[in-house]
Amino acid sequence: MLTRLQTLVVEKPWGRTDIPKDFGNFDGRRVGEIWFAHPDGTAAPILVKFLFTSERLSIQVHPDDEAAHAVGYPRGKEECWLVLDAEPGAELGVGLKAETTRKALRDAALDGSIVDMIDWRPARPDDFVYNRAGTIHAIGAGLTVVEVQQNIDCTYRLYDYGRPRELHLDAGLAVAETRPRPDLRDGHVDAAENSLLVDGPHFRLLHLAGPDAAAILPQETGDFTFTPLSQGCTIGSEAVRLGECVAIDRADLIALAPGARALLSWPA
């Protein structure tokens, strides 16, 4: 069974007006995010988004499952990013450069110096980052990113560059990791290779490339989310275009043309 997920277009002050035409015609709107809504709503375990940035996003952090349950959310939020396009000088902020204290983080969030505490990494196309819950992070300007995450709309903003939006210092600092937090899953993805990018604990994520992807597709039925990164993707007899995302119960029907790319995610 194939279900094309509803496309939700989210305008943001840091969004862009030059969204690739594969995603639609937005008549100059400043689009920051495109979400794909599952028919199961918040019961669906995984959410896929595309992000388009012209400015730095807020510095933020997410709770783990335990902390999220304590305040009434069904799950916490871990997420990962695959960079699809990066302008010269683009950066990703992942964790802290040095160990600190919650008081120092609070003071820095209030005066803006938290920006200098973040580990800002140069971003290139096909860079991959996994953000565990509790990792302070931010996405820089000039990026197109596909994000796969636990399906919960829970973000604690620590600093937002003076934009008139609420901050969540108490909740955010309560769950934030105060030390550098490198992750072994971070790295550079070979666009021509099939690879397992994430193997739990909350979801699994495959990078699929070309006809050889068939060899690593799960054979069992499940709750899969398929996201093309190019044209040339089909499921059974149906084409699935870049700019779409679909839910399927059988991954073994996926086929990719030479040079085509996609992501496949499912609960761990």
Side-chain angles (χ1 to χ4, degrees):
M1 180 178 176
L2 181 155
T3 302
R4 296 180 192 272
L5 302 187
Q6 180 185 4
T7 301
L8 303 178
V9 178
V10 183
E11 295 184 64
K12 294 285 188 179
W14 44 259
R16 286 166 50 177
T17 59
D18 60 344
I19 307 302
K21 295 186 183 301
D22 298 286
F23 292 91
N25 182 0
F26 303 111
D27 296 322
R29 295 160 62 194
R30 189 168 289 279
V31 175
E33 300 179 357
I34 293 178
W35 298 27
F36 296 98
H38 196 283
D40 292 342
T42 56
I46 294 171
L47 176 67
V48 176
K49 303 176 183 176
F50 285 81
L51 297 95
F52 310 91
T53 71
S54 63
E55 303 173 8
R56 281 180 170 176
L57 279 64
S58 63
I59 294 174
Q60 55 188 240
V61 67
H62 306 308
D64 62 14
D65 285 349
E66 181 179 1
H69 293 159
V71 293
Y73 288 101
R75 63 185 65 84
K77 185 175 177 182
E78 298 207 345
E79 65 187 16
C80 56
W81 304 324
L82 178 62
V83 177
L84 302 179
D85 188 56
E87 296 177 1
E91 296 178 308
L92 293 170
V94 187
L96 301 172
K97 291 190 292 188
E99 186 169 358
T100 186
T101 65
R102 296 191 197 283
K103 182 182 185 306
L105 275 173
R106 178 183 290 274
D107 292 344
L110 291 171
D111 67 19
S113 60
I114 192 172
V115 175
D116 300 320
M117 301 172 74
I118 302 299
D119 183 10
W120 292 99
R121 308 176 183 178
R124 303 171 296 162
D126 298 317
D127 281 349
F128 180 77
V129 171
Y130 190 93
N131 280 315
R132 285 174 285 170
T135 301
I136 298 173
H137 60 273
I139 295 178
L143 288 165
T144 299
V145 172
V146 58
E147 176 178 293
V148 179
Q149 61 164 87
Q150 288 182 275
N151 181 22
I152 189 70
D153 189 13
C154 179
T155 294
Y156 296 145
R157 282 188 293 272
L158 302 178
Y159 182 70
D160 201 25
Y161 300 93
R163 300 182 185 111
R165 297 194 296 174
E166 181 184 5
L167 300 180
H168 314 94
L169 292 184
D170 289 341
L173 292 173
V175 303
E177 176 60 57
T178 57
R179 295 172 294 176
R181 205 177 195 198
D183 194 286
L184 294 176
R185 289 164 286 200
D186 294 358
H188 194 72
V189 176
D190 187 332
E193 293 292 330
N194 295 284
S195 54
L196 177 63
L197 302 180
V198 179
D199 191 17
H202 303 289
F203 56 85
R204 294 185 172 91
L205 179 64
L206 286 175
H207 175 260
L208 305 177
D212 290 344
I216 66 166
L217 293 172
Q219 299 301 302
E220 69 278 5
T221 59
D223 181 11
F224 301 103
T225 302
F226 179 72
T227 310
L229 302 181
S230 70
Q231 305 300 351
C233 301
T234 59
I235 299 176
S237 61
E238 295 195 53
V240 185
R241 300 179 297 104
L242 175 64
E244 294 184 308
C245 187
V246 301
I248 52 176
D249 56 5
R250 286 185 57 186
D252 59 344
L253 298 177
I254 293 170
L256 273 62
R261 302 176 66 192
L263 294 177
L264 182 71
S265 52
W266 68 101

